[in-house]
Amino acid sequence: MMDLGEVGLEVAIKILDPRLTDWGFPRWGSALAAGLDLHACLDEPAILAPQGPPVLIPAGFALSIRDPGWCAMIYPRSGLGHRDGLVLGNTVGVIDADYEGPLMISAWNRNPPGSTSLTVRPGERIAQAVFTRVVRPALRVVEAFPQSGVGARGAGGFGSTGRG
């Protein structure tokens, strides 16, 4: 089991690819890191063409959260995204509390056509999982919102507050 401190959550992890333990999984990159490092569990390097189709890369494990007040979110690693153009094909992956199948990372090369392809190597840390609380509010359907100063922004539409 992972030690997640004093949050009251214990997450079971089933290792599907034994190489993960050689690569140091499970671990956070530092004592204060929010994201659990995810490795590319590939048998051979994957080549991602610029603006090509996303590639599903196995993370090599499954997890069991089972608490509806929690989920895991999969994010790209900052340096790979900014410096190299490796991002997630679905921008952010959500792992619901009731999903217990293998974790897959949707990797995509956001670089413009004509630039260099990206190579993802077996064992490379390419993404991170962040565990976060989930709030499911009671939803109430209404015909109109009550008049107040709070909703005045909505009349301007998307992006109406401008830049700066």
Side-chain angles (χ1 to χ4, degrees):
M1 303 292 175
M2 289 191 290
D3 176 17
L4 293 178
E6 298 187 20
V7 297
L9 176 68
E10 184 175 86
V11 175
I13 291 182
K14 182 167 59 172
I15 303 291
L16 304 174
D17 188 322
R19 297 175 297 177
L20 280 176
T21 55
D22 295 335
W23 296 329
F25 180 84
R27 75 166 179 261
W28 280 261
S30 72
L32 299 179
L36 175 68
D37 290 335
L38 302 182
H39 298 263
C41 290
L42 298 165
D43 293 327
E44 58 189 38
I47 310 298
L48 282 71
Q51 299 285 316
V55 175
L56 281 178
I57 298 176
F61 71 101
L63 54 78
S64 178
I65 299 173
R66 294 195 178 180
D67 182 334
W70 288 86
C71 75
M73 301 187 86
I74 310 302
Y75 295 100
R77 293 190 67 226
S78 302
L80 291 176
H82 177 74
R83 180 186 58 245
D84 301 332
L86 179 64
V87 296
L88 300 186
N90 56 343
T91 64
V92 174
V94 177
I95 310 302
D96 295 312
D98 60 351
Y99 179 74
E100 296 181 355
L103 265 67
M104 302 295 284
I105 302 161
S106 176
W108 184 61
N109 181 347
R110 69 165 172 78
N111 290 313
S115 60
T116 306
S117 294
L118 294 175
T119 301
V120 177
R121 290 172 179 72
E124 185 175 4
R125 294 176 300 137
I126 63 167
Q128 54 190 326
V130 175
F131 294 87
T132 188
R133 293 190 186 270
V134 173
V135 176
R136 295 184 73 189
L139 301 177
R140 180 175 45 92
V141 177
V142 298
E143 293 294 323
F145 297 121
Q147 293 297 320
S148 74
V150 175
R153 257 188 77 185
F158 179 83
S160 62
T161 60
R163 297 178 88 168

